[in-house]
Amino acid sequence: MSGCSIKKEYDLYGKEQVEALRESAKGWQSGRYLLTNLDTDVMNQAFSFMYDEDGFQVYLYEKISDEGNYYAEFSDRDAFYIIDGGMANVYRAGSEGYIFYDRNDPHPYSTGDLLFYENLFVKSSEEIPQEDGGADYVYYYNVDKINDTLGTNLTEFVTEYVFGADGEFEYFVQRNSDGESSYAYRIDVIDTDSLTEIENPALASGE
């Protein structure tokens, strides 16, 4: 931790870079968020999205449970699929259960919300220089404020934004605990504004 320094609430390290990143994420045409459980070092969640030529959003959310079960959601303008336990259920456009998103109402995971940041809840921040010349901005949250606002029971909530020497975002880390259990994960964002197709995993089962 040598070479690091700390700022208190509201006067935050990395604020401009983090807020610029989150604002940029709202306008991405496509991208993939890859979530890795840091306790197991296993990437167990992924969210991919893109917009078609008419502004409809195609998205795929995938998750593998600790027991190895595969769950996925796939949505486009024609149908909404849920794949769970080896079974695929499909809800066609216009039917009950059908879910879709577009530019005016995007899936919240596609707008940068997975990279949590709320400066009103931050009690202090820290800047840790990286060996490559980049910076790691760490945010320590006031869990009492979060619990009062969201009705949670957190005892710890910390996030990190890592930027390279060129100022480009590299990855995000979140750690939280409620005193009984804890969770830490890393998010890498790839393929921003470069996806042209997202495969529907339900098609492999013949839907």
Side-chain angles (χ1 to χ4, degrees):
M1 302 291 286
S2 62
C4 64
S5 51
I6 294 177
K7 285 188 179 181
K8 293 184 178 180
E9 190 173 12
Y10 307 126
D11 184 19
L12 305 179
Y13 283 111
K15 180 177 181 234
E16 293 78 11
Q17 282 178 277
V18 169
E19 292 184 348
L21 168 68
R22 287 170 54 82
E23 188 62 30
S24 175
K26 294 177 183 178
W28 287 339
Q29 168 70 22
S30 64
R32 297 187 194 274
Y33 291 81
L34 309 178
L35 285 76
T36 298
N37 184 327
L38 293 179
D39 296 322
T40 61
D41 199 28
V42 173
M43 191 189 77
N44 60 358
Q45 296 183 66
F47 179 83
S48 306
F49 76 96
M50 58 174 285
Y51 292 96
D52 68 15
E53 63 275 10
D54 295 320
F56 284 89
Q57 191 177 70
V58 180
Y59 88 82
L60 171 63
Y61 170 71
E62 301 174 282
K63 180 177 181 178
I64 300 176
S65 70
D66 293 339
E67 295 74 29
N69 296 322
Y70 177 79
Y71 173 87
E73 297 175 4
F74 178 88
S75 176
D76 61 16
R77 70 167 72 193
D78 297 320
F80 173 63
Y81 294 80
I82 295 179
I83 302 96
D84 191 9
M87 302 294 293
N89 295 315
V90 58
Y91 305 89
R92 300 295 177 186
S95 67
E96 184 177 357
Y98 170 68
I99 296 175
F100 79 96
Y101 297 92
D102 58 23
R103 288 193 183 278
N104 295 322
D105 183 24
H107 193 294
Y109 285 8
S110 69
T111 62
D113 285 357
L114 284 173
L115 311 174
F116 186 87
Y117 173 77
E118 180 49 73
N119 61 1
L120 294 179
F121 291 156
V122 177
K123 64 181 180 182
S124 63
S125 65
E126 185 175 18
E127 179 179 5
I128 304 175
Q130 301 296 295
E131 292 183 357
D132 65 357
D136 179 0
Y137 299 115
V138 186
Y139 299 105
Y140 301 93
Y141 281 82
N142 186 322
V143 292
D144 291 332
K145 283 187 178 182
I146 294 178
N147 292 339
D148 289 344
T149 303
L150 303 179
T152 52
N153 296 298
L154 294 170
T155 57
E156 179 184 34
F157 194 92
V158 180
T159 64
E160 300 177 36
Y161 282 82
V162 179
F163 292 86
D166 57 1
E168 292 296 313
F169 171 68
E170 293 190 347
Y171 62 90
F172 168 88
V173 172
Q174 180 172 311
R175 296 179 173 87
N176 53 267
S177 173
D178 61 7
E180 296 182 1
S181 60
S182 60
Y183 188 53
Y185 62 87
R186 166 175 167 158
I187 299 179
D188 292 88
V189 185
I190 64 172
D191 297 332
T192 56
D193 293 333
S194 65
L195 287 179
T196 58
E197 183 180 7
I198 299 175
E199 184 177 353
N200 181 356
L203 297 180
S205 62
E207 276 292 339

